[in-house]
Amino acid sequence: MKPANIRLLLPLLFLANPLFANETILPPIADWHGKSEALIHTNQDKWQTPAEQMALMDSPNYADSIKYAQQLVNSDERLHMQSMGKSPQGRDIWFIIASKEGADSAKQLQANKKPTLLIQAGIHSGEIDGKDAGFMLLRDIIHGDKAQLLEQVNVLFIPIFNVDGHERRSPFNRVNQRGPHNMGWRTTAQNLNLNRDYAKADAPEMQHLQRFINTWQPDLYFDVHVTDGEDYQYDLTYGFNGDFADSPAISQWLSNTFSPAVDTALAKQGHKANPLVFGMDSMDFSKGIFGWTAGVRFSNGWGDIRHLPTVLVENHSLKPYKQRVLATYVFLEEAINVLGEYHQQLSAAVLTDQKNLPENLTLSWKLDMENPSKADFAGIDYSIETDEITEMEYVKWNGKAKTYPALPTFWAKVPDISVPVAKHYYIPPQHSEVINRLNIQGIAFSKLEKSLTIKASELTAVDPEFSKTPFEGHMTAKASFTAQIITKTLPKGTVRVSSSQPLGRLAVALLDPRGPDSYFSWGFFNQIFQRTEYIESYVMAPLGKQMLENDPQLAEEFRKAFKDPKTSSKRAKMQWLYERSGFHDNEYLKYPVLLQY
């Protein structure tokens, strides 16, 4: 081949390899080295992890990951491995139990009276840092110098939660992320985003996880991700809901005890940690950043409302895979130390939050634009450029460190949607799917053994709206509601849910239709918007005439409702009369769950 042709071919070969192609299009970064690099084992060690064998530039597939996990478990009686269930494509979702006593059941684990940390990796399986960090840490506990970590804490480790998405591996996934070379897919085989599924629990994987958590009862829960968005110097960010939300005592423990310890440990090892935040304006970082309050569909929002201390870990996508994995390792190790030393304070915080059920519950929050906090932010410098091809303006990060002094952070802490908390929620027995989801969530309920007549609030939907396209497999709904107190006889088998239980707040969020993550909002009750019986005009015409002739008050209401002939349609008049006849569907637009205050 001629030299000129070789020169033309080389760029094509370069771009054909996504590992190198990414480096040509991603923002530049400074070379990183930290003390945590000493955690990497060489090929001299028989327990070197598969990711270490690939210099922490790639991550093993499902088969090789589970093979290593099984070999590690078989090597020591302190470890056990079980499946929490099958994925839609038939793969086992494995978890590892690590305890000094070698417990292999929830009962045995709880009997040792130690707190339990649950580490979950790969809910978005392209974001797989937690898997390889977890394998390294478990290896060092069992075959290294960190056995003392199990003296005070048990560990539950889910290396791959979204196992089917993990195997949709490709170098062409997540172009905005620096490694590993082969990345899994964000969603499941059913194209469901598991970190939007905690409220509705559609996915079999999520149902397995919720049963697993209800059985094993962890004391602290980590959900490990990789974030997107702006460039900055921090390689590990993490978030939990603030002390204004559903678990204020837990939030204070995480803020005042947990965070300072892990931030210090990370800094000593060459890493930078920060709260999970996002830019207010993607084109102007100086406008500040905002902190998010997670709803029930997300892991940390779900944990907050059920008083399970939950931390969403978001490593930074533009940092190299090795750096992110090592940061996760340091984070997890220090978390075990903190939980072991301060678990009694955390347990007390959980009990405090469980006892607190307010009269009104906030189900969504919006940004407080009036009272930002301010702190220096370790960012990256950038310029605004215009693309030559599309003429679109975009941010071009230049990789140079830049400190933003006293950058404002706006926190989502202003109540947006708040509802009164009912004492009981009554669900008709025919809504079996909703009842089944409550059972999976671990929410306690009872069933009426005989019919019961009650007074309760009945909600009627007004001006309903529906999503134009499916979201997470659902045609979502929202509406305003009118309420009236009715007396109704409920049949045997009706489900009664009390809000006076440990998961009472979660029950309110799922059953009050005004909440953004309620079963109503997710479309589980869309059948109330469907008309199934009708009346013909040749019947309605004489019926309407009789109604107005026999009821002077109704006739007066009719005249007031349609006093302007220019805006009164014929169909609207007939509909008005039909709705006031005895033949109209009296369950149309009625939310079937009754609320008793």
Side-chain angles (χ1 to χ4, degrees), residues 3 53 71 160 238 266 269 347 437 441-442 465 519 527:
Q53 292 169 14
Q71 289 172 341
I160 312 169
Y238 60 96
L266 284 161
Q269 294 293 322
S347 296
R437 303 294 171 103
Q441 292 277 1
E465 298 177 16
Y519 290 131
Q527 60 269 34

Side-chain angles (χ1 to χ4, degrees), residues 453-464:
T453 301
I454 65 167
K455 282 188 176 181
S457 179
E458 181 182 63
L459 303 180
T460 300
V462 179
D463 298 327

Side-chain angles (χ1 to χ4, degrees), residues 321-335:
Y321 190 57
K322 179 178 77 169
Q323 183 179 353
R324 302 194 325 254
V325 169
L326 294 176
T328 306
Y329 181 116
V330 174
F331 182 90
L332 296 177
E333 180 183 4
E334 184 59 21

Side-chain angles (χ1 to χ4, degrees), residues 268-402:
K268 287 180 178 178
Q269 294 293 322
H271 301 278
K272 288 186 177 182
N274 195 68
L276 176 61
V277 291
F278 308 90
M280 291 290 291
D281 184 339
S282 62
M283 303 295 284
D284 187 355
F285 205 75
S286 66
K287 289 183 178 179
I289 51 182
F290 71 90
W292 164 59
T293 299
V296 186
R297 70 187 63 175
F298 303 100
S299 61
N300 48 331
W302 180 79
D304 186 49
I305 205 167
R306 62 180 284 142
H307 313 306
L308 167 58
T310 303
V311 178
L312 178 71
V313 181
E314 290 276 7
N315 294 325
H316 194 266
S317 62
L318 293 178
K319 303 300 184 285
Y321 190 57
K322 179 178 77 169
Q323 183 179 353
R324 302 194 325 254
V325 169
L326 294 176
T328 306
Y329 181 116
V330 174
F331 182 90
L332 296 177
E333 180 183 4
E334 184 59 21
I336 294 173
N337 289 325
V338 174
L339 182 60
E341 185 172 357
Y342 299 104
H343 67 91
Q344 291 182 342
Q345 292 93 319
L346 180 59
S347 296
V350 171
L351 288 174
T352 297
D353 288 331
Q354 287 178 339
K355 293 176 182 177
N356 179 24
L357 185 65
E359 292 183 1
N360 292 281
L361 185 64
T362 297
L363 298 178
S364 70
W365 304 82
K366 57 186 178 182
L367 295 180
D368 182 356
M369 300 302 296
E370 304 299 324
N371 303 289
S373 61
K374 292 186 177 182
D376 292 352
F377 188 84
I380 297 292
D381 196 16
Y382 68 92
S383 59
I384 302 297
E385 305 290 338
T386 300
D387 178 44
E388 295 177 0
I389 300 173
T390 64
E391 300 181 352
M392 179 182 70
E393 285 192 336
Y394 67 98
V395 170
K396 183 177 182 179
W397 304 100
N398 62 29
K400 297 177 181 178
K402 177 180 178 178

Side-chain angles (χ1 to χ4, degrees), residues 382-557:
Y382 68 92
S383 59
I384 302 297
E385 305 290 338
T386 300
D387 178 44
E388 295 177 0
I389 300 173
T390 64
E391 300 181 352
M392 179 182 70
E393 285 192 336
Y394 67 98
V395 170
K396 183 177 182 179
W397 304 100
N398 62 29
K400 297 177 181 178
K402 177 180 178 178
T403 298
Y404 292 84
L407 190 68
T409 302
F410 303 89
W411 296 99
K413 59 182 181 180
V414 175
D416 183 24
I417 298 175
S418 297
V419 299
V421 174
K423 292 180 180 178
H424 298 101
Y425 299 82
Y426 290 90
I427 309 170
Q430 63 267 26
H431 292 284
S432 55
E433 188 57 43
V434 166
I435 295 166
N436 180 53
R437 303 294 171 103
L438 292 173
N439 187 50
I440 291 169
Q441 292 277 1
I443 293 171
F445 57 80
S446 60
K447 293 186 177 181
L448 299 184
E449 296 182 357
K450 58 182 180 180
S451 61
L452 176 69
T453 301
I454 65 167
K455 282 188 176 181
S457 179
E458 181 182 63
L459 303 180
T460 300
V462 179
D463 298 327
E465 298 177 16
F466 306 93
S467 57
K468 294 181 179 179
T469 58
F471 175 64
E472 292 298 316
H474 287 254
M475 298 303 292
T476 58
K478 65 178 181 178
S480 300
F481 291 89
T482 60
Q484 63 174 341
I485 301 300
I486 64 168
T487 299
K488 188 170 184 177
T489 299
L490 306 178
K492 175 183 177 181
T494 297
V495 164
R496 176 168 55 196
V497 181
S498 170
S499 59
S500 298
Q501 59 170 298
L503 297 183
R505 288 184 182 230
L506 178 59
V508 175
L510 297 176
L511 294 176
D512 193 300
R514 292 159 287 199
D517 275 312
S518 66
Y519 290 131
F520 171 87
S521 295
W522 279 110
F524 284 88
F525 293 101
N526 280 357
Q527 60 269 34
I528 71 172
F529 303 108
Q530 179 178 326
R531 295 176 185 268
T532 56
E533 291 288 354
Y534 304 89
I535 192 166
E536 299 292 350
S537 58
Y538 63 79
V539 175
M540 192 63 240
L543 176 61
K545 185 178 180 180
Q546 287 181 8
M547 292 167 60
L548 296 176
E549 289 176 348
N550 296 336
D551 191 338
Q553 183 177 346
L554 183 67
E556 180 61 24
E557 292 175 2

